[in-house]
Amino acid sequence: METDKVTGTEAKEPEGTDPEGTDPEAAEPEAKEPEAKEPDTAEPEAKEPDTAEPEAKEPDTAAPEAADPEAAEPEEGAGPDGSEQPAPRRRRRRLRRWALGGVLLLLAPVLASQIALGVNYLGDPADGTYTRGKDAIWLGHAWVDGRKTDADVEALAERLRDTGMRDLYVHSGPLEHDGTLPASAYPRAAWFIDAIHREAPGVRVQAWLGDVLASESPHGMRLEKAGTRAAVVRSARQILDTGFEGTHFDLEPLHSGDRNYLTLLDSLRDLTRSRGAQLSVAAHQIDPVPGFHSFWGTTTGHPKWWSQRFFGQVARRVDQIAVMSYDTLQPLESTYGGYVAQQTSLALEVTPPSTDLLMGLPFYKENRFGHWAHAETVAAAVRGVRLGLSRTDADRKNFGVAAYVDFAASETDWTAYEKGWVR
């Protein structure tokens, strides 16, 4: 959901022989005529069987040729007419074998990875691996642009009651490519903040700000420009002045190792800490095998994953980091759950205990390349999160899940979250 998470768009809510007349028994009387031993005049007639005999045997020689597949289609040497016909056939067979071998060679790692992820989904989560009251949800732009009412806020507060939801990431952008943020993008933000605090005390409201980066196309924000980074910091200050309790950044596609992004986070952290506010980010998934982002970037032009090292560098600079653990290319619920378990473990290994680590839950339904609704379910994600937490750091306090996104969520999604994670 990379593009929609940046913009906050709410669009998601396979020749035979004839035996007749060639019977050898029918030819025998003619062949026996010479036994009568007629005078010399009959000798020419005695020679007739010599010429008739081959004709009588034609069925015997023709039948085996028709029945023998090797004779009909020899693998080597000349064909039945003496020409070199088998060579093209051998080439075609060889090409087919090479093609099959190539496909198997490509599929072998894929099949192996699917088996491994399926195995990773086995087992039982540890007791106590439930919500720590640090969960979050991404909310659409309608909450700050005037489309929502007091009744909507009341319904939202009722929905959040008795769950682990603490932070609301409310879409209040997007940022302009130069890093600026027009106030017209969030005209009702102050109203929403006041209303939700009234209906759901203790819930924090953070401004979700994002933009498309010019990392894979000539269009978008350029973090390599110091002026752009400075403008982003000013936009964050502006949004905090509105009453938001934190800033949540989602800049995509963000390539692993981007030093300009780390520099921006350093500046933003100075700001948010001086204001007693939260700094949180949406993070790419971690390499399922070391260096996978480099391989994927070389073959597709879109690295997608981050190295585990870079993930850790980002996590140490923020108060919260939410992994976008959906859009995973997984075809089965079991492999998706196993993948989320692996991502949870990888993230826990490099996230400092002081930083809130949140694993994303797919509160939306889509069927396209990279995301299959029958596989990427909330139930599978929650179970995967619990398995990864159990195996890596079952007692981690600053840990939770983040649901994407409110306007696409179904009752099934909420029920799976509450039964599987909240209890």
Side-chain angles (χ1 to χ4, degrees):
M1 296 273 283
E2 295 165 355
T3 301
D4 289 327
K5 285 192 83 279
V6 170
T7 62
T9 302
E10 302 186 18
K12 293 184 167 106
E13 291 215 343
E15 303 174 6
T17 56
D18 182 3
E20 285 190 25
T22 57
D23 187 356
E25 294 181 1
E28 279 184 15
E30 295 182 7
K32 291 180 180 180
E33 286 182 7
E35 294 179 4
K37 295 186 179 180
E38 295 284 339
D40 297 338
T41 56
E43 287 183 4
E45 295 178 5
K47 293 180 180 179
E48 289 180 4
D50 295 338
T51 59
E53 193 170 341
E55 296 177 4
K57 292 181 179 179
E58 281 179 7
D60 295 336
T61 58
E65 289 179 6
D68 186 358
E70 295 183 358
E73 191 175 333
E75 293 186 0
E76 295 183 1
D81 61 353
S83 65
E84 291 292 333
Q85 292 180 3
R89 294 195 190 97
R90 287 199 302 275
R91 282 195 293 271
R92 287 195 295 270
R93 284 195 295 269
R94 193 176 298 114
L95 287 174
R96 284 195 295 268
R97 285 196 294 270
W98 276 105
L100 178 60
V103 170
L104 292 176
L105 186 64
L106 291 173
L107 289 179
V110 176
L111 293 175
S113 68
Q114 294 298 287
I115 293 171
L117 292 176
V119 170
N120 205 39
Y121 193 57
L122 301 177
D124 296 319
D127 293 336
T129 51
Y130 305 117
T131 185
R132 277 85 164 122
K134 293 180 176 291
D135 303 332
I137 184 170
W138 282 280
L139 299 181
H141 202 81
W143 293 100
V144 297
D145 68 4
R147 283 178 283 171
K148 297 293 186 178
T149 65
D150 286 333
D152 294 315
V153 174
E154 292 172 6
L156 175 61
E158 181 62 29
R159 168 63 80 185
L160 300 177
R161 190 168 293 120
D162 299 325
T163 69
M165 297 291 181
R166 181 188 184 190
D167 286 283
L168 308 181
Y169 302 143
V170 188
H171 192 270
S172 306
L175 294 164
E176 299 294 327
H177 292 340
D178 62 1
T180 60
L181 177 65
S184 58
Y186 51 96
R188 295 269 285 166
W191 163 82
F192 175 71
I193 295 169
D194 291 341
I196 197 67
H197 282 165
R198 181 179 65 250
E199 299 296 334
V203 171
R204 291 187 303 203
V205 186
Q206 300 190 45
W208 166 15
L209 304 175
D211 192 22
V212 176
L213 297 179
S215 54
E216 297 175 11
S217 76
H219 307 293
M221 182 182 290
R222 297 187 176 277
L223 292 181
E224 65 272 20
K225 293 183 177 181
T228 299
R229 297 195 302 270
V232 173
V233 175
R234 288 194 299 272
S235 295
R237 182 180 295 109
Q238 169 187 325
I239 207 77
L240 292 176
D241 289 341
T242 305
F244 284 100
E245 298 159 279
T247 55
H248 175 80
F249 286 90
D250 178 26
L251 303 173
E252 304 177 42
L254 183 61
H255 293 181
S256 182
D258 191 325
R259 299 298 307 180
N260 296 309
Y261 181 63
L262 298 180
T263 300
L264 173 62
L265 291 180
D266 289 336
S267 299
L268 289 168
R269 180 180 56 183
D270 292 340
L271 168 66
T272 55
R273 287 186 176 178
S274 69
R275 303 287 290 271
Q278 294 288 298
L279 173 59
S280 64
V281 295
H284 289 247
Q285 298 157 31
I286 301 173
D287 282 335
V289 294
F292 196 67
H293 69 280
S294 297
F295 163 76
W296 198 260
T298 300
T299 56
T300 69
H302 173 51
K304 183 176 174 68
W305 290 268
W306 286 354
S307 71
Q308 190 182 35
R309 178 175 180 273
F310 183 68
F311 187 97
Q313 291 175 326
V314 173
R316 290 190 292 273
R317 287 170 164 82
V318 299
D319 299 301
Q320 293 179 323
I321 184 167
V323 184
M324 296 180 284
S325 41
Y326 35 76
D327 294 348
T328 64
L329 308 173
Q330 294 306 314
L332 303 173
E333 196 171 22
S334 59
T335 61
Y336 172 63
Y339 181 87
V340 172
Q342 182 202 38
Q343 287 292 308
T344 302
S345 294
L346 291 171
L348 282 167
E349 289 171 358
V350 293
T351 301
S354 59
T355 300
D356 290 345
L357 171 63
L358 309 179
M359 302 303 297
L361 303 181
F363 271 39
Y364 66 98
K365 302 291 184 294
E366 280 189 358
N367 286 300
R368 54 178 170 75
F369 178 76
H371 183 99
W372 305 106
H374 68 273
E376 296 197 15
T377 65
V378 174
V382 166
R383 188 170 189 277
V385 166
R386 293 187 63 209
L387 286 169
L389 182 63
S390 302
R391 295 164 182 165
T392 312
D393 191 354
D395 297 323
R396 179 74 68 110
K397 299 301 181 184
N398 293 327
F399 183 87
V401 296
Y404 182 83
V405 62
D406 73 306
F407 54 78
S410 67
E411 285 299 320
T412 301
D413 297 329
W414 281 104
T415 300
Y417 158 70
E418 292 167 357
K419 288 187 175 181
W421 182 244
V422 179
R423 297 293 175 113

